[in-house]
Amino acid sequence: MSDVVAVNVAQYYQTLEQHNVVPLWKLAESQQTEPKPDEVPHVWHFAELLPLLQQSVDVVTLGEGAERRVLTFKNPGRRFVGATHSLVASLQFLMPGEIAPAHRHSYSALRFMISGSGAYTVVEGEKIPMEVGDLVLTPNWLWHDHGHEGKQEPMVWLDGLDFPFVASLRPIFYQEIDTSQPVTKPENISLTRYGTGTVLAPKHRPISAYSPLNVYKWQPAYEALQRLRGTEQDEYDGTIIEYVNPVTGGHVLATIAAYLQLLAPGLHTKAHRHSSSSVYFVARGSGYSVINGQCHDWQQNDVFVVPTWTWHEHVAGTEEAVLFSYSDLPMLEPFGFWREEAYTENQGWQQTK
Ligand code: GTQ
Ligand code: FE2
């Protein structure tokens, strides 16, 4: 063994590079013991974004340079679009008389109506009128187009998509046509069939990865919160309900879960963190959330994000607050990746406000 030549370390690392291998012991990732997301807590204020949506009418014409009039959120901690690493959030704006032509894609979307009236979405031949507070689903690979038959107000809504997740796995597929798709089914047929939840015709029991119900109306969801508020109080979320697939009881989409929660006036929830990330929309009221020890104020129609594994607690103002939210929990659950941790100390952060 006397002819062993000492390795030149610098040269060794250089040689590894030439062979397209990396020493695991040099990788920061191999030292990581818990998630450290690049994404940061952030609030997008509706009052600041609405004028920009309005101005976009002078900048692009639907059908000429834009298929959708959408401003999509980029988390300040990210290099690419996405409110979190897995979820997109956008504001969409549709003027009376406008058509956003039909397309379909392998990523899924949900929409939560913010303001206006007279707009509809057609999902796979089913026309769905959209009212403020409604949740509308466009699961993956279903044709969808939007239109506005109203006279005055533009329609504004929040779009939630699993685009960054799907893109990370690579199967991005997309098809489009120039026009609306033909309406081939009775209006709101999925609501007619599945909207009652507990009583379904026996032949209408499709088992699929996404809900067969394409619209969840505001009124029954809000009434459910009012019914439950006296008895159902989650220490982290106040009174919270999940929009579910009425056949399986599962999440609304294969990749995204959606919730509506009510925070009683002045309620201050306990803090926790979990391995799913969430986008919140303030449907009613105002308040603030303490996220990673910092106070983030929100008003009605604002959107804020809680990145993966980030401490958060919510505080309602003097009126009740209603938060719509969606989460990437279904992306984690099947693999056993979902974890939750309670904040055990009494937090000093409550004094930050
Ligand atoms: O309305 O079809 O915010 O395809 C992003 C992609 C909305 C839509 C978005 C989309 C849509
Ligand atoms: Fe779309």
PDB file of all heavy atoms in Angstrom, residues 127-143:
ATOM      1  N   LYS A 127     -73.431  25.047 -17.536  1.00  0.00           N
ATOM      2  CA  LYS A 127     -73.345  26.472 -17.220  1.00  0.00           C
ATOM      3  C   LYS A 127     -73.634  26.694 -15.739  1.00  0.00           C
ATOM      4  O   LYS A 127     -74.610  26.182 -15.200  1.00  0.00           O
ATOM      5  CB  LYS A 127     -74.348  27.243 -18.065  1.00  0.00           C
ATOM      6  CG  LYS A 127     -74.252  28.747 -17.922  1.00  0.00           C
ATOM      7  CD  LYS A 127     -75.187  29.434 -18.893  1.00  0.00           C
ATOM      8  CE  LYS A 127     -75.147  30.943 -18.711  1.00  0.00           C
ATOM      9  NZ  LYS A 127     -76.076  31.612 -19.636  1.00  0.00           N
ATOM     10  N   ILE A 128     -72.736  27.444 -15.102  1.00  0.00           N
ATOM     11  CA  ILE A 128     -72.830  27.676 -13.662  1.00  0.00           C
ATOM     12  C   ILE A 128     -72.825  29.184 -13.394  1.00  0.00           C
ATOM     13  O   ILE A 128     -71.776  29.829 -13.468  1.00  0.00           O
ATOM     14  CB  ILE A 128     -71.642  27.012 -12.927  1.00  0.00           C
ATOM     15  CG1 ILE A 128     -71.599  25.511 -13.240  1.00  0.00           C
ATOM     16  CG2 ILE A 128     -71.715  27.258 -11.430  1.00  0.00           C
ATOM     17  CD1 ILE A 128     -70.337  24.829 -12.772  1.00  0.00           C
ATOM     18  N   PRO A 129     -73.998  29.772 -13.097  1.00  0.00           N
ATOM     19  CA  PRO A 129     -74.006  31.189 -12.721  1.00  0.00           C
ATOM     20  C   PRO A 129     -73.212  31.365 -11.417  1.00  0.00           C
ATOM     21  O   PRO A 129     -73.263  30.500 -10.548  1.00  0.00           O
ATOM     22  CB  PRO A 129     -75.492  31.480 -12.477  1.00  0.00           C
ATOM     23  CG  PRO A 129     -76.242  30.360 -13.128  1.00  0.00           C
ATOM     24  CD  PRO A 129     -75.333  29.167 -13.060  1.00  0.00           C
ATOM     25  N   MET A 130     -72.473  32.474 -11.326  1.00  0.00           N
ATOM     26  CA  MET A 130     -71.599  32.657 -10.154  1.00  0.00           C
ATOM     27  C   MET A 130     -72.063  33.861  -9.344  1.00  0.00           C
ATOM     28  O   MET A 130     -72.205  34.961  -9.884  1.00  0.00           O
ATOM     29  CB  MET A 130     -70.153  32.836 -10.612  1.00  0.00           C
ATOM     30  CG  MET A 130     -69.657  31.663 -11.466  1.00  0.00           C
ATOM     31  SD  MET A 130     -67.884  31.671 -11.798  1.00  0.00           S
ATOM     32  CE  MET A 130     -67.703  33.095 -12.876  1.00  0.00           C
ATOM     33  N   GLU A 131     -72.279  33.645  -8.059  1.00  0.00           N
ATOM     34  CA  GLU A 131     -72.682  34.720  -7.159  1.00  0.00           C
ATOM     35  C   GLU A 131     -71.613  34.916  -6.090  1.00  0.00           C
ATOM     36  O   GLU A 131     -70.863  33.987  -5.770  1.00  0.00           O
ATOM     37  CB  GLU A 131     -74.016  34.378  -6.502  1.00  0.00           C
ATOM     38  CG  GLU A 131     -75.153  34.240  -7.509  1.00  0.00           C
ATOM     39  CD  GLU A 131     -76.458  33.833  -6.837  1.00  0.00           C
ATOM     40  OE1 GLU A 131     -76.531  32.701  -6.300  1.00  0.00           O
ATOM     41  OE2 GLU A 131     -77.395  34.640  -6.852  1.00  0.00           O
ATOM     42  N   VAL A 132     -71.592  36.106  -5.525  1.00  0.00           N
ATOM     43  CA  VAL A 132     -70.577  36.433  -4.513  1.00  0.00           C
ATOM     44  C   VAL A 132     -70.611  35.392  -3.387  1.00  0.00           C
ATOM     45  O   VAL A 132     -71.666  35.036  -2.887  1.00  0.00           O
ATOM     46  CB  VAL A 132     -70.797  37.856  -3.958  1.00  0.00           C
ATOM     47  CG1 VAL A 132     -69.899  38.127  -2.756  1.00  0.00           C
ATOM     48  CG2 VAL A 132     -70.548  38.888  -5.055  1.00  0.00           C
ATOM     49  N   GLY A 133     -69.434  34.882  -3.044  1.00  0.00           N
ATOM     50  CA  GLY A 133     -69.319  33.899  -1.971  1.00  0.00           C
ATOM     51  C   GLY A 133     -69.373  32.454  -2.444  1.00  0.00           C
ATOM     52  O   GLY A 133     -69.119  31.536  -1.668  1.00  0.00           O
ATOM     53  N   ASP A 134     -69.720  32.248  -3.736  1.00  0.00           N
ATOM     54  CA  ASP A 134     -69.759  30.878  -4.257  1.00  0.00           C
ATOM     55  C   ASP A 134     -68.345  30.359  -4.497  1.00  0.00           C
ATOM     56  O   ASP A 134     -67.441  31.118  -4.860  1.00  0.00           O
ATOM     57  CB  ASP A 134     -70.507  30.821  -5.603  1.00  0.00           C
ATOM     58  CG  ASP A 134     -71.997  31.076  -5.466  1.00  0.00           C
ATOM     59  OD1 ASP A 134     -72.487  31.187  -4.320  1.00  0.00           O
ATOM     60  OD2 ASP A 134     -72.671  31.171  -6.516  1.00  0.00           O
ATOM     61  N   LEU A 135     -68.210  29.046  -4.331  1.00  0.00           N
ATOM     62  CA  LEU A 135     -66.973  28.348  -4.700  1.00  0.00           C
ATOM     63  C   LEU A 135     -67.269  27.521  -5.946  1.00  0.00           C
ATOM     64  O   LEU A 135     -68.232  26.746  -5.961  1.00  0.00           O
ATOM     65  CB  LEU A 135     -66.549  27.419  -3.556  1.00  0.00           C
ATOM     66  CG  LEU A 135     -65.425  26.422  -3.863  1.00  0.00           C
ATOM     67  CD1 LEU A 135     -64.109  27.138  -4.143  1.00  0.00           C
ATOM     68  CD2 LEU A 135     -65.249  25.439  -2.701  1.00  0.00           C
ATOM     69  N   VAL A 136     -66.484  27.710  -6.990  1.00  0.00           N
ATOM     70  CA  VAL A 136     -66.678  26.987  -8.246  1.00  0.00           C
ATOM     71  C   VAL A 136     -65.429  26.177  -8.549  1.00  0.00           C
ATOM     72  O   VAL A 136     -64.309  26.686  -8.428  1.00  0.00           O
ATOM     73  CB  VAL A 136     -66.980  27.967  -9.407  1.00  0.00           C
ATOM     74  CG1 VAL A 136     -67.122  27.227 -10.739  1.00  0.00           C
ATOM     75  CG2 VAL A 136     -68.237  28.783  -9.122  1.00  0.00           C
ATOM     76  N   LEU A 137     -65.610  24.920  -8.930  1.00  0.00           N
ATOM     77  CA  LEU A 137     -64.467  24.049  -9.217  1.00  0.00           C
ATOM     78  C   LEU A 137     -64.278  23.852 -10.709  1.00  0.00           C
ATOM     79  O   LEU A 137     -65.252  23.688 -11.450  1.00  0.00           O
ATOM     80  CB  LEU A 137     -64.684  22.659  -8.608  1.00  0.00           C
ATOM     81  CG  LEU A 137     -64.988  22.556  -7.120  1.00  0.00           C
ATOM     82  CD1 LEU A 137     -65.113  21.080  -6.740  1.00  0.00           C
ATOM     83  CD2 LEU A 137     -63.910  23.235  -6.295  1.00  0.00           C
ATOM     84  N   THR A 138     -63.024  23.861 -11.146  1.00  0.00           N
ATOM     85  CA  THR A 138     -62.703  23.368 -12.488  1.00  0.00           C
ATOM     86  C   THR A 138     -61.571  22.357 -12.335  1.00  0.00           C
ATOM     87  O   THR A 138     -60.389  22.686 -12.435  1.00  0.00           O
ATOM     88  CB  THR A 138     -62.310  24.498 -13.472  1.00  0.00           C
ATOM     89  OG1 THR A 138     -61.306  25.319 -12.883  1.00  0.00           O
ATOM     90  CG2 THR A 138     -63.488  25.369 -13.805  1.00  0.00           C
ATOM     91  N   PRO A 139     -61.965  21.093 -12.068  1.00  0.00           N
ATOM     92  CA  PRO A 139     -60.962  20.033 -11.873  1.00  0.00           C
ATOM     93  C   PRO A 139     -60.127  19.806 -13.142  1.00  0.00           C
ATOM     94  O   PRO A 139     -60.513  20.257 -14.222  1.00  0.00           O
ATOM     95  CB  PRO A 139     -61.821  18.791 -11.570  1.00  0.00           C
ATOM     96  CG  PRO A 139     -63.142  19.330 -11.118  1.00  0.00           C
ATOM     97  CD  PRO A 139     -63.334  20.607 -11.892  1.00  0.00           C
ATOM     98  N   ASN A 140     -59.035  19.090 -12.961  1.00  0.00           N
ATOM     99  CA  ASN A 140     -58.090  18.944 -14.062  1.00  0.00           C
ATOM    100  C   ASN A 140     -58.709  18.328 -15.306  1.00  0.00           C
ATOM    101  O   ASN A 140     -59.496  17.406 -15.243  1.00  0.00           O
ATOM    102  CB  ASN A 140     -56.859  18.137 -13.627  1.00  0.00           C
ATOM    103  CG  ASN A 140     -57.226  16.732 -13.182  1.00  0.00           C
ATOM    104  OD1 ASN A 140     -58.166  16.539 -12.419  1.00  0.00           O
ATOM    105  ND2 ASN A 140     -56.497  15.751 -13.659  1.00  0.00           N
ATOM    106  N   TRP A 141     -58.350  18.921 -16.422  1.00  0.00           N
ATOM    107  CA  TRP A 141     -58.697  18.466 -17.764  1.00  0.00           C
ATOM    108  C   TRP A 141     -60.181  18.630 -18.112  1.00  0.00           C
ATOM    109  O   TRP A 141     -60.663  18.053 -19.079  1.00  0.00           O
ATOM    110  CB  TRP A 141     -58.223  17.024 -18.009  1.00  0.00           C
ATOM    111  CG  TRP A 141     -57.832  16.801 -19.443  1.00  0.00           C
ATOM    112  CD1 TRP A 141     -58.356  15.848 -20.291  1.00  0.00           C
ATOM    113  CD2 TRP A 141     -56.875  17.537 -20.213  1.00  0.00           C
ATOM    114  NE1 TRP A 141     -57.782  15.958 -21.532  1.00  0.00           N
ATOM    115  CE2 TRP A 141     -56.858  16.982 -21.515  1.00  0.00           C
ATOM    116  CE3 TRP A 141     -56.027  18.624 -19.946  1.00  0.00           C
ATOM    117  CZ2 TRP A 141     -56.053  17.467 -22.540  1.00  0.00           C
ATOM    118  CZ3 TRP A 141     -55.207  19.111 -20.954  1.00  0.00           C
ATOM    119  CH2 TRP A 141     -55.231  18.526 -22.227  1.00  0.00           C
ATOM    120  N   LEU A 142     -60.930  19.392 -17.346  1.00  0.00           N
ATOM    121  CA  LEU A 142     -62.304  19.708 -17.740  1.00  0.00           C
ATOM    122  C   LEU A 142     -62.293  21.052 -18.483  1.00  0.00           C
ATOM    123  O   LEU A 142     -61.647  22.007 -18.040  1.00  0.00           O
ATOM    124  CB  LEU A 142     -63.235  19.785 -16.525  1.00  0.00           C
ATOM    125  CG  LEU A 142     -63.383  18.517 -15.669  1.00  0.00           C
ATOM    126  CD1 LEU A 142     -64.572  18.653 -14.718  1.00  0.00           C
ATOM    127  CD2 LEU A 142     -63.530  17.268 -16.523  1.00  0.00           C
ATOM    128  N   TRP A 143     -63.021  21.104 -19.608  1.00  0.00           N
ATOM    129  CA  TRP A 143     -63.136  22.348 -20.377  1.00  0.00           C
ATOM    130  C   TRP A 143     -63.842  23.397 -19.539  1.00  0.00           C
ATOM    131  O   TRP A 143     -64.840  23.098 -18.879  1.00  0.00           O
ATOM    132  CB  TRP A 143     -63.948  22.113 -21.653  1.00  0.00           C
ATOM    133  CG  TRP A 143     -63.215  21.329 -22.697  1.00  0.00           C
ATOM    134  CD1 TRP A 143     -63.364  19.999 -22.980  1.00  0.00           C
ATOM    135  CD2 TRP A 143     -62.215  21.837 -23.592  1.00  0.00           C
ATOM    136  NE1 TRP A 143     -62.511  19.645 -24.004  1.00  0.00           N
ATOM    137  CE2 TRP A 143     -61.801  20.747 -24.409  1.00  0.00           C
ATOM    138  CE3 TRP A 143     -61.626  23.101 -23.801  1.00  0.00           C
ATOM    139  CZ2 TRP A 143     -60.834  20.873 -25.404  1.00  0.00           C
ATOM    140  CZ3 TRP A 143     -60.658  23.222 -24.792  1.00  0.00           C
ATOM    141  CH2 TRP A 143     -60.270  22.121 -25.579  1.00  0.00           C
TER     142      TRP A 143
END
